[in-house]
Amino acid sequence: MILGAIIWSMLRWRYAKMIEHRNGIIALYKARLNGASPDQAKARMDSLEGQVVSLKNREWPKLTPAAVTDLESILAPQGPHVVSVLLQDRDSVFLACDLVDAFKRIGWKAKRDTSVNDVPDGLTVWPEDDVARAICNALMMATGALVTVREDQHLKDQGTYAIGIGHKLD
């Protein structure tokens, strides 16, 4: 009888510790999920995955070698010019590097720069003239994106061009 009571109390103590451990794990999950049910947690995870995908789709990809060659062949006959490639954020870095390298290879004075002002979404070229339209066409062919050409008298007076790389449009 005494042996049975000892075994019973040891088993009771062991099961109490197991339940306490499981309750601790459940409390930890509840804290991490802010009290959400499994369905709510799954919905939250799906939402976060969607946000990651949308952020990833904002990134401008590197240009293919064929696209770089086409861009260079279209713009080389325009003669050497000065161009600044303005980045909205780090999602534009790969495209900006490709453009600066391509412009330098065809003899243009090119640099990557950040803008103090907001760069419009998509691709933009300043100032509006025949060379800017050639840049616009080359960029459309190279990226497949729409490109806007805008007027800027200050840049026109300096004989400089700017390419703005804003947030990628869907």
Side-chain angles (χ1 to χ4, degrees):
M1 190 74 132
I2 295 178
L3 181 61
I6 293 172
I7 292 172
W8 179 81
S9 56
M10 286 178 60
L11 288 174
R12 183 178 170 167
W13 175 81
R14 181 169 182 234
Y15 284 121
K17 287 295 180 186
M18 288 172 60
I19 290 171
E20 184 181 322
H21 177 69
R22 294 244 167 111
N23 286 342
I25 290 173
I26 291 169
L28 179 64
Y29 279 117
K30 282 184 178 178
R32 285 185 180 167
L33 297 173
N34 292 328
S37 71
D39 290 336
Q40 291 169 326
K42 183 181 180 333
R44 176 81 173 134
M45 291 295 292
D46 291 344
S47 169
L48 290 172
E49 285 175 0
Q51 289 176 21
V52 167
V53 168
S54 71
L55 289 174
K56 192 169 181 91
N57 288 339
R58 282 184 16 176
E59 187 174 286
W60 289 93
K62 291 182 67 61
L63 294 177
T64 65
V68 171
T69 302
D70 291 344
L71 183 118
E72 291 173 356
S73 65
I74 291 169
L75 295 177
Q78 298 296 324
H81 293 282
V82 177
V83 64
S84 289
V85 178
L86 307 172
L87 286 71
Q88 176 73 24
D89 57 25
R90 70 174 192 249
D91 294 330
S92 315
V93 170
F94 295 126
L95 179 58
C97 288
D98 285 346
L99 292 175
V100 168
D101 292 344
F103 285 122
K104 286 181 177 180
R105 277 193 298 275
I106 60 172
W108 291 34
K109 184 178 178 187
K111 67 178 180 173
R112 192 176 78 189
D113 208 349
T114 54
S115 175
V116 186
N117 302 319
D118 285 336
V119 175
D121 288 346
L123 297 173
T124 308
V125 179
W126 294 273
E128 186 174 355
D129 66 7
D130 290 338
V131 174
R133 282 186 280 285
I135 295 170
C136 174
N137 291 336
L139 285 173
M140 282 194 290
M141 289 179 61
T143 64
L146 293 176
V147 182
T148 306
V149 179
R150 297 181 184 228
E151 189 55 52
D152 186 310
Q153 192 60 46
H154 178 70
L155 288 174
K156 189 178 268 190
D157 292 344
Q158 289 182 335
T160 330
Y161 295 92
I163 299 171
I165 308 175
H167 296 292
K168 185 177 176 190
L169 303 172
D170 293 331

